[in-house]
Amino acid sequence: MIPFVDLKAQYATIKDEINVAIQGVLDSCQFTLGSEVAAFEQEFAAYCQSAHGVGVNTGTSALHLALLAAGVGPGDEVITVPFTFVATVAAIYYTGAKTVFVDIDPRSFTMDVNAIEAAVTKRTKAIIPVHLYGHPADMDPILEISRKHGLIVVEDAAQAHGAEYKGRRTGSMGDMACFSFYPGKNLGAYGEGGMVVTNSAEYNRTIRMLRDWGAEKKYQHVLKGYNYRMEGIQGAVLRVKLRHLEAWTKARRAAAARYDELLAGSRFVTPRAMPGTRHVYHVYAVRSAKRGELQAALQARDIQTGIHYPIPVHLLPAYSDLGYKAGQFPHSERAANEVLSLPLYAEIPDAHIKAVAAELTNSVAQLA
Ligand SMILES: Cc1ncc(COP(=O)(O)O)c(C=O)c1O
């Protein structure tokens, strides 16, 4: 069997460090927030070239609180892309604001910067570029448009730990950036986790309060807040894992380069990193009009693949109330029909990459 990801393979390489870190939390009994979370906040913010980090319980909560801190609420509009995980849009919905979609650029799978201005209205308050698959969105034009219209930029960096755009890390460019530490992410907790990073002392202060019942000090509730705290064990695990992240990112990039090499000249459209970016390959997605047949052929050979994501959010039943119809975002819709994510993780054996590439090439030849 060739798995899509193998979390056990990674745990085996860091078992001793992780076990010591978890034991430390058990000994201290700092199960929620505490010194390990505080240290991880500082270390991860520094890794993102940003001043502050606020640890929370999920990436979705990070997005929710970033939008609230930006003052987004009922009557406001937030611009994002439909080709993303549903959480981006759910977080906007939680604030009471309305989601306004713009299509993606089909080469990078990130926001089409030429489509943004037409979507800006008097009600637009914020914009959420999604660094999908670990590839940064084209931030310079996004920041320029947001400055021109007075919009707040919240990066959805849930899939893009350590990705870079013109030498800047994801998390350092927008007003705020939100990360997920879901276990399968490039930096994954042993449970759930998320973080907002920001250079703004004001956003930092507000989000710190919002994640912990809106309290400035215990029982002094200044804001209507939430129970979105990060757990102590996750902080301790993530601190250990952060020390390995650069090596894992290098390994992911090397695995992606192997796929590129082995699939060169085949009928697949392989992912493309735009000039000046460092793609961190959370997902390595090829495109094919025969995606369904290919996935079935690989499955028959015990090769696991994924689809990120089969239905763009504007066509999901849950968000039909936004009033969008099929055909409105053709690049997102086509990508949703064509993308196929191949097995890729830092520890993937080269033999697996070769077997996947060979099987794909073989299956596509048979389907032709
Ligand atoms: C693009 C994107 N945004 C937001 C999220 C939400 O993160 P979480 O699952 O930690 O709530 C995810 C991850 O699942 C994601 O991939």
Side-chain angles (χ1 to χ4, degrees):
M1 210 266 276
I2 296 191
F4 183 64
V5 292
D6 184 353
L7 298 182
K8 287 185 185 167
Q10 184 176 84
Y11 176 53
T13 68
I14 53 172
K15 189 170 182 162
D16 294 343
E17 288 171 90
I18 290 284
N19 291 0
V20 167
I22 292 179
Q23 188 62 52
V25 178
L26 298 180
D27 290 337
S28 75
C29 290
Q30 292 186 352
F31 294 118
T32 188
L33 298 178
S35 57
E36 289 294 315
V37 170
F40 176 61
E41 288 174 337
Q42 287 191 359
E43 289 160 10
F44 190 69
Y47 177 80
C48 297
Q49 303 172 343
S50 197
H52 311 279
V54 188
V56 291
N57 59 341
T58 65
T60 310
S61 301
L63 285 164
H64 182 195
L65 296 190
L67 291 170
L68 290 179
V72 171
D76 295 329
E77 293 177 357
V78 178
I79 295 175
T80 193
V81 287
F83 193 55
T84 181
F85 182 59
V86 67
T88 316
V89 180
I92 299 170
Y93 170 77
Y94 297 161
T95 68
K98 185 180 157 203
T99 300
V100 173
F101 288 123
V102 298
D103 209 351
I104 54 163
D105 172 292
R107 293 162 307 166
S108 68
F109 296 108
T110 62
M111 185 174 276
D112 175 1
V113 295
N114 297 313
I116 300 171
E117 287 212 275
V120 174
T121 72
K122 288 200 298 288
R123 292 169 182 262
T124 311
K125 188 102 178 212
I127 179 160
I128 309 183
V130 182
H131 305 310
L132 199 76
Y133 298 163
H135 185 289
D138 191 2
M139 290 303 291
D140 276 347
I142 292 171
L143 293 169
E144 197 183 311
I145 293 166
S146 63
R147 269 194 295 271
K148 182 169 153 199
H149 296 278
L151 310 177
I152 288 154
V153 177
V154 177
E155 298 172 60
D156 184 338
Q159 303 187 358
H161 317 72
E164 289 173 14
Y165 174 85
K166 301 185 185 172
R168 284 123 78 197
R169 282 265 161 96
T170 54
S172 68
M173 296 176 278
D175 295 281
M176 287 169 270
C178 300
F179 290 86
S180 164
F181 305 116
Y182 180 77
K185 294 289 197 276
N186 290 22
L187 180 61
Y190 285 170
E192 306 273 353
M195 191 175 290
V196 184
V197 302
T198 181
N199 281 316
S200 154
E202 190 58 34
Y203 290 141
N204 174 49
R205 181 171 167 268
T206 305
I207 295 166
R208 262 174 208 287
M209 287 197 271
L210 287 173
R211 73 157 171 198
D212 193 11
W213 292 118
E216 191 147 45
K217 290 194 207 122
K218 202 163 190 187
Y219 305 129
Q220 309 275 316
H221 303 278
V222 184
L223 300 170
K224 293 190 180 70
Y226 299 80
N227 178 355
Y228 281 175
R229 297 178 296 250
M230 178 178 271
E231 293 186 343
I233 284 179
Q234 306 313 335
V237 165
L238 288 163
R239 282 190 81 194
V240 170
K241 293 182 85 177
L242 180 58
R243 298 201 283 267
H244 298 274
L245 183 58
E246 276 305 293
W248 291 336
T249 298
K250 280 201 187 103
R252 281 180 177 274
R253 287 171 50 78
R258 276 294 276 156
Y259 275 129
D260 286 346
E261 183 189 326
L262 293 167
L263 295 172
S266 71
R267 283 185 225 165
F268 297 100
V269 181
T270 50
R272 192 162 142 211
M274 302 313 278
T277 63
R278 178 167 92 141
H279 193 328
V280 295
Y281 294 100
H282 175 57
V283 166
Y284 184 97
V286 294
R287 295 181 72 139
S288 165
K290 306 236 161 134
R291 187 265 309 278
E293 293 96 317
L294 284 172
Q295 187 174 39
L298 293 178
Q299 187 62 49
R301 299 281 179 152
D302 261 352
I303 298 174
Q304 289 182 351
T305 54
I307 297 175
H308 304 93
Y309 296 92
I311 308 174
V313 182
H314 69 290
L315 301 181
L316 286 173
Y319 290 98
S320 58
D321 57 338
L322 290 172
Y324 290 103
K325 297 275 175 294
Q328 279 186 270
F329 303 107
H331 293 305
S332 295
E333 291 167 31
R334 200 167 150 211
N337 285 327
E338 293 187 353
V339 289
L340 183 66
S341 313
L342 306 186
L344 192 149
Y345 50 96
E347 303 76 16
I348 190 170
D350 193 58
H352 285 199
I353 300 178
K354 273 201 213 142
V356 173
E359 201 50 55
L360 262 183
T361 317
N362 180 29
S363 307
V364 84
Q366 284 180 16
L367 287 168

